[in-house]
Amino acid sequence: MKIKISNVLIGAQERLFGYIGQMSYEYSQLSIKADPSSLLGFEEVVNDKPMRMEDLARVVIHDEEDDDDKIDIYPNEPAFLPTIISGMTSIHPEMKITVEKYEEAEEDDDNPELKFIRLTMPKMNDDRRDIILAAIDAIDGQCKANHEKMKAKYTAELAKVTLTESAAEADEAKDLFDQLFSNYSNMREQMTQQQKEYVEKAYQRYLKERAKEEGFNRDNQGNRVGSTLKLDE
């Protein structure tokens, strides 16, 4: 394949991938589930120097069975605790931010070296579910529109560089481009579907927690099943 054709295909791939990357970042900022990518927007000035989260702390997904809505942040230095809290409050005010102690710390031990920060994603109640699903559709729609725009742009460029080539080579280039666009379209759809599944999982967890508080159970679809009799003590 000639370089001029390869350059068009590579350029199209870079633009399509760039929009996928932007969509992935925007999804991570919705705080649906624990995702270290949601901290990419963090930046605070420490000693007159801009610092990102990786400069200040170690970030891990909270290890707990059937619980994927918490992120634990372990500061590299105790003095970074308030800085991290301030920064997280700024970029993700919807998250619950708590200061926790290491398991080995005594209950009354206030040693800052034994403290870390826990971020908990907001509960996926009915209102938040509607808002997040609408945001997902908007993000997906923008990415799709950008991909369609790039498809039109690079289709025209491909037609121009293959104008003097043989029909066979022009057809091969078009087939490669169509496959490239199809691959990124499928990637976009799969990522969007995955986000909606995350929302549904978080919503079902919310329903079960609420049902437990109210005294009845729910099945995997969130429907009430039976009831639990609460007796006054």
Side-chain angles (χ1 to χ4, degrees), residues 1 5 9 158 162 168-178:
M1 183 179 295
I5 297 176
L9 294 176
L158 195 62
T162 58
E169 189 158 22
D171 287 344
E172 180 187 8
K174 185 179 184 305
D175 288 344
L176 287 173
F177 176 77
D178 288 344

Side-chain angles (χ1 to χ4, degrees), residues 29-233:
Q29 302 306 304
L30 295 178
S31 303
I32 301 170
K33 65 186 290 291
D35 182 353
S37 298
S38 64
L39 311 185
L40 290 175
F42 178 96
E43 184 174 289
E44 288 290 303
V45 176
V46 179
N47 296 326
D48 298 323
K49 180 180 178 182
M51 304 284 272
R52 303 184 67 80
M53 185 63 76
E54 59 266 28
D55 301 317
L56 302 176
R58 180 170 60 92
V59 177
V60 299
I61 299 299
H62 182 64
D63 186 16
E64 188 173 322
E65 187 176 358
D66 296 326
D67 187 350
D68 59 358
D69 69 343
K70 295 180 177 63
I71 299 175
D72 290 339
I73 302 175
Y74 298 91
N76 296 334
E77 297 180 17
F80 292 157
L81 267 167
T83 300
I84 295 172
I85 292 173
S86 174
M88 288 310 306
T89 301
S90 175
I91 66 171
H92 283 297
E94 75 282 4
M95 292 184 184
K96 179 182 177 182
I97 303 175
T98 57
V99 177
E100 308 289 336
K101 294 181 181 180
Y102 291 123
E103 290 184 0
E104 60 269 24
E106 298 292 338
E107 185 175 347
D108 58 349
D109 191 341
D110 203 36
N111 185 350
E113 293 186 359
L114 298 178
K115 294 180 179 181
F116 64 96
I117 299 165
R118 176 165 294 159
L119 309 176
T120 303
M121 305 303 109
K123 291 186 181 298
M124 192 62 67
N125 57 27
D126 296 84
D127 290 340
R128 180 168 171 76
R129 178 172 178 257
D130 291 343
I131 292 170
I132 295 299
L133 287 176
I136 289 173
D137 286 340
I139 293 170
D140 177 79
Q142 185 61 58
C143 183
K144 182 178 181 180
N146 287 332
H147 276 189
E148 293 288 354
K149 189 187 301 181
M150 289 304 102
K151 183 178 183 180
K153 169 182 168 63
Y154 284 98
T155 294
E157 289 193 15
L158 195 62
K160 186 184 299 183
V161 299
T162 58
L163 189 61
T164 58
E165 305 302 325
S166 67
E169 189 158 22
D171 287 344
E172 180 187 8
K174 185 179 184 305
D175 288 344
L176 287 173
F177 176 77
D178 288 344
Q179 185 59 55
L180 179 68
F181 181 81
S182 177
N183 289 344
Y184 278 96
S185 180
N186 290 336
M187 189 183 302
R188 175 186 56 77
E189 291 174 358
Q190 290 170 6
M191 288 175 65
T192 295
Q193 181 58 35
Q194 184 180 57
Q195 292 300 313
K196 292 184 176 182
E197 290 173 0
Y198 290 156
V199 170
E200 190 59 27
K201 181 179 179 180
Y203 183 62
Q204 292 304 322
R205 182 167 59 234
Y206 160 74
L207 289 179
K208 288 182 178 180
E209 290 174 357
R210 192 179 69 177
K212 185 176 180 180
E213 294 173 356
E214 295 175 353
F216 58 83
N217 298 316
R218 290 184 184 269
D219 61 20
N220 290 333
Q221 284 72 47
N223 302 311
R224 294 190 185 193
V225 289
S227 61
T228 301
L229 181 62
K230 286 188 173 181
L231 299 177
D232 294 333
E233 296 182 354

